[in-house]
Amino acid sequence: MKRNSTRFLALFLTAAMSVTPAVAAFGENQENSDQIPAISLAPQPSEMPEISVSPTAVPEKEALNNAETDKKEAVNESKDSEGEDPQKKDSQEKESEKKDTEKKDTEKKDTEKKDTESKDSEKKDPEKEDTEKKDPEEKDPEEKDPEEKDPEEEDIFKDKEFRPSITDYTAAEGKITLVVKGNDSVFDRLYVGKKEDADKSKVITGTADTDGTYRFTFDVPAEMKNQALSVVPGNSNNGGEIKWYTAKDCTITVPDVVPAPTSIPQPTDSPQPTAIPEPTAIPEPTQIPSPTPTQTPAPAIPNGVYKINVTSSAFMFRVVDCQLTSKDGVMTAILTLSGVGYDYLFMGTKEEADQADRSTWIPFTPNAAGKYTYPVPVSALDTGIAVAGHSKSHNLWYDRILTFNSGTLEKIADLNVQEDPSNPDQENKDNSSDPNKKKDDKKKNNKKDKNKKDKKDKNKKNNKVQTPGKDVDKESKYESDLSGGTSKVDSSTGLKDGSYVPDKFSWSGGTGKVQISCSKVSITGGQAYATITFSSDAYGYVKANGNMYYPDHSGGGSTFVIPVALNKNNSIIGMTTRMSVPHEIQYSIFVYLNGADNKSDKDKENPSSSDSMVSTGNKKLDDKAPEITGLEYKDETTLEHAKHLKVYHYENDITLLEVDMTTDTARTKESVQAEGEANTEETAAGNEETAAVSEDEETAAVTSDEEQSMAAAPEEESGSSAPAESTGDKIEQLYMGNVIKYLIVPEDADVPAGLDKDVILIRKPVEKTYVDSANAAEAMDKLGLTDKISMIGSDLTDLPEALSSAVEAGTLESTGTYTDLDYKTMLKSQCTLAILPSDILPKTEEDLDAKTEELRSTAQRFALLEIPFIVDRSSDEENDEAVAEWEEVYKTIFDVK
């Protein structure tokens, strides 16, 4: 019995001292509870909380007391036993007590050790503890080693940088629709938001372009205009899973657009009129409001032909001229667009155009200047009319809204010619009662018009001096200009007294927002007076000929009659009051009349435009020097081997360079001619990106004070009937021609006003040049001109030693190529000329479209920054002798004798 009690005691102590940490912790939490619920002694590793074993979980004293009690009971039972030796019993009891004491000491130490380990476990990370309990060789399939990278994810955007550009945008009610084009085919998805956003589920899928890049179309709130919008590009080629480009923050600037005119809402609050009878086929516009812009009845306009301003909802869809005809309440118009990007118009939305029969599409008809014109019906004035334009390059329809502004109507002709009733030889205007007489009159009028046109063309062709008219204009009122702003001009001429129509007129200066025209030259007493009109009525005076002249403000403009020197530049100063304070603007005008400076016929094979100051166009290199209004030709530098270059010299050390951009390329003369005549909607897209650069503070280095003031005062916009084509647009067209003409002009030389619209002007001295042509770099090094190179293309190899040393020393900046040039850096370095390689021209049919777009985009940016560039085609010449002749270009530009 005693032995059994001892064993029972040992088992009891063993069980009591082996409480698991989980049970001990649970006991601590429940020590104030009356009931102990059932618990699990084997919690799941992933759910096990941090625990610690409390010393009070198993009361040690209570266990010892129980052991002592059992011991005493065992002793009492042993005394009652019979047949046992007392000494033996005492020895056994002592031995048993000794063993029990040693066992208790051992168990006590084990318990303290467990308590210490339990406390340490409280400081461990539960997640780490869970991880440690897992099989070390077993990994979560979705878990990746932090140092292990997906090679596809690492390489897909290697050496890539997302440079988006806005190619189109339109404004609607409360929103702006953007078309954003990426710069690399790897970017085919777009998320509008920040790269840190966890949820990028609203993905915009790109539409592939012909060059392999993608376009993304989406809407943003109208309140976002002029603000930066964060975007994240991505790629979906990796098994459908989108990989996001997060190397850099990408933003685009939402353009500031004029919202499209809102439609006239359907009246809902007012009850249907009952007093007014059922409207007839031609309802009164004030009685029944129209639910849509195109259904508003047109106001009554007298029969006639009118000039009218047309406002467009999109900058890339500018109407530069509109002639409206009203006949018996029906209005039609001939629209002239600024570019040649649209091959069809449709009166309606783009969705309707897609579904409509092709016969309802309105095709273009090119005018004499190569612009696209379209005949359209006009349902209303001063109300937005939905028009869809079809882009021939993208093969897509775009929604546009046109508004014909009645406040700008200017009648230019009657439908029936008004005759003078005092002349008995003339027929009565009203011939409606006699159809045969009406037909005869029409034939007579047509014959008269034809004779007038033939006579005018003949005079123009033969450069005959006009027969002067009698209606001369008197010189405007004036007073002496004591400020000395202008000097006296020699207005004397040998032409007969009378009135003349200028054979040519051009001007320069200002920002181009206000246009200047010259309608008449009056010769009185052998002195020439020009009647000039500013398209704004805000001009208070003009300084000319040492005097201050005051205007006639009739007709919505500012008209002055001032003395001029014919066939020469005349400096004038105009004062406008459109700004916050009166502001004087310097202009130069050039009035040309045959007879003062005769000029030979223009080249029939390479004709120039009717308003050009150069006798030849840009279809081919000239066989002989072209005549330039106001310049005297001297001689030619004969090039016996080079077939892509011509060099002609004029008086005052002025040189004309001609560079052939078509021969030995995939371009054709016919296609290039069409490209160079107008800026398309794609060209306007590149302007948005670069405009952001030009608005930076660096632009002050190349922008005149006058232009900055004008840019800061939008209210100075002209009141002309049609938006004028900017100088930048015309320069861009020159770069897109078959041949580019460059006029190299000394710093102090004077050139005829307006000549910069026919040639690319390069003013000497040229001190800082960007060179991205290996041949050009070698030629300039040979001529000792390396000090004129301030930036060089980063891809150029085998540079001359002087240039290589300069790059290594850091005195010559090696920047990007012409395809990814940092234009902001060019502005900061005050670069005044760029020389590009012939790689910019397409050599095969496969890269024709891509290279043409590349050339157009480059032309846009350089034109906007007013930095001329030359394409060095020496690498396309046939032999070393021809290559060597290209040195004449750099001798001329940098005055190497």
Side-chain angles (χ1 to χ4, degrees), residues 511 513-514 536 538-539 576-579 585 587 709-711 713-719:
T511 62
K513 293 180 178 179
V514 174
S536 169
Y539 281 75
T576 176
T577 58
R578 282 288 185 189
M579 303 183 183
I585 303 172
Y587 297 98
S709 300
M710 299 286 276
E715 64 272 17
E716 196 252 341
E717 297 218 4
S718 73

Side-chain angles (χ1 to χ4, degrees), residues 687-747:
N687 285 347
E688 296 300 326
E689 178 185 351
T690 314
V693 177
S694 66
E695 288 172 0
D696 289 340
E697 60 185 32
E698 291 83 8
T699 314
V702 294
T703 305
S704 67
D705 292 339
E706 171 200 327
E707 288 172 327
Q708 293 179 27
S709 300
M710 299 286 276
E715 64 272 17
E716 196 252 341
E717 297 218 4
S718 73
S720 59
S721 61
E725 189 173 25
S726 70
T727 303
D729 291 338
K730 295 191 176 185
I731 292 175
E732 177 193 332
Q733 295 171 25
L734 295 177
Y735 282 121
M736 298 305 296
N738 288 299
V739 172
I740 303 178
K741 288 181 166 70
Y742 299 90
L743 201 65
I744 316 301
V745 183
E747 183 177 15

Side-chain angles (χ1 to χ4, degrees), residues 329-360:
V330 178
M331 295 183 294
T332 58
I334 303 296
L335 299 178
T336 303
L337 296 185
S338 63
V340 293
Y342 297 94
D343 50 0
Y344 292 98
L345 298 186
F346 178 81
M347 304 308 293
T349 65
K350 61 182 180 181
E351 291 81 10
E352 293 170 342
D354 277 329
Q355 301 298 324
D357 186 87
R358 192 181 182 91
S359 62
T360 62

Side-chain angles (χ1 to χ4, degrees), residues 465 547 761:
V465 179
N547 297 323
L761 287 180

Side-chain angles (χ1 to χ4, degrees), residues 567-845:
N567 301 356
K568 293 182 181 180
N569 280 338
N570 294 262
S571 295
I572 64 173
I573 299 173
M575 188 279 291
T576 176
T577 58
R578 282 288 185 189
M579 303 183 183
S580 55
V581 295
H583 190 75
E584 289 188 345
I585 303 172
Q586 185 87 30
Y587 297 98
S588 183
I589 62 174
F590 188 91
V591 185
Y592 184 83
L593 272 181
N594 288 325
D597 184 8
N598 287 324
K599 185 175 173 182
S600 63
D601 289 344
K602 294 187 177 182
D603 191 329
K604 295 180 180 180
E605 295 182 0
N606 187 23
S608 60
S609 61
S610 59
D611 60 347
S612 175
M613 302 180 69
V614 182
S615 63
T616 59
N618 62 356
K619 287 186 176 181
K620 65 182 185 69
L621 290 175
D622 290 314
D623 296 326
K624 63 179 182 178
E627 295 188 9
I628 302 176
T629 301
L631 298 183
E632 186 70 28
Y633 170 69
K634 289 178 60 180
D635 54 41
E636 174 186 359
T637 296
T638 303
L639 304 176
E640 297 181 356
H641 304 283
K643 63 178 182 179
H644 302 304
L645 178 67
K646 288 284 187 178
V647 182
Y648 300 106
H649 303 285
Y650 294 76
E651 63 180 1
N652 299 325
D653 198 23
I654 296 175
T655 300
L656 179 71
L657 299 179
E658 294 185 359
V659 178
D660 188 339
M661 300 282 281
T662 305
T663 306
D664 296 335
T665 73
R667 307 173 87 203
T668 63
K669 293 182 179 180
E670 292 75 15
S671 64
V672 171
Q673 189 67 20
E675 291 169 6
E677 286 176 345
N679 59 326
T680 64
E681 65 169 344
E682 291 81 14
T683 65
N687 285 347
E688 296 300 326
E689 178 185 351
T690 314
V693 177
S694 66
E695 288 172 0
D696 289 340
E697 60 185 32
E698 291 83 8
T699 314
V702 294
T703 305
S704 67
D705 292 339
E706 171 200 327
E707 288 172 327
Q708 293 179 27
S709 300
M710 299 286 276
E715 64 272 17
E716 196 252 341
E717 297 218 4
S718 73
S720 59
S721 61
E725 189 173 25
S726 70
T727 303
D729 291 338
K730 295 191 176 185
I731 292 175
E732 177 193 332
Q733 295 171 25
L734 295 177
Y735 282 121
M736 298 305 296
N738 288 299
V739 172
I740 303 178
K741 288 181 166 70
Y742 299 90
L743 201 65
I744 316 301
V745 183
E747 183 177 15
D748 56 351
D750 193 22
V751 296
L755 191 55
D756 57 346
K757 298 177 179 65
D758 299 316
V759 297
I760 305 295
L761 287 180
I762 299 178
R763 281 279 183 183
K764 296 189 289 188
V766 178
E767 299 293 343
K768 295 184 178 182
T769 310
Y770 165 69
V771 178
D772 196 21
S773 165
N775 281 18
E778 185 175 345
M780 292 181 68
D781 177 67
K782 182 179 177 181
L783 296 172
L785 298 171
T786 54
D787 61 319
K788 305 297 184 182
I789 303 176
S790 60
M791 299 170 62
I792 197 157
S794 57
D795 285 356
L796 295 184
T797 58
D798 299 328
L799 289 173
E801 183 178 353
L803 295 177
S804 298
S805 301
V807 172
E808 293 176 1
T811 57
L812 176 61
E813 184 172 3
S814 178
T815 185
T817 65
Y818 71 91
T819 57
D820 60 351
L821 188 59
D822 186 350
Y823 294 96
K824 188 177 292 187
T825 301
M826 290 191 72
L827 285 173
K828 287 182 178 179
S829 66
Q830 298 182 351
C831 181
T832 54
L833 178 66
I835 302 173
L836 308 184
S838 63
D839 296 343
I840 198 172
L841 300 175
K843 300 304 183 346
T844 63
E845 289 291 338

Side-chain angles (χ1 to χ4, degrees), residues 866-885:
E866 299 180 2
I867 300 175
F869 71 83
I870 292 178
V871 176
D872 186 311
R873 294 206 62 193
S874 60
S875 61
D876 297 329
E877 298 289 359
E878 294 179 349
N879 51 54
D880 293 341
E881 290 82 359
V883 173
E885 287 181 344

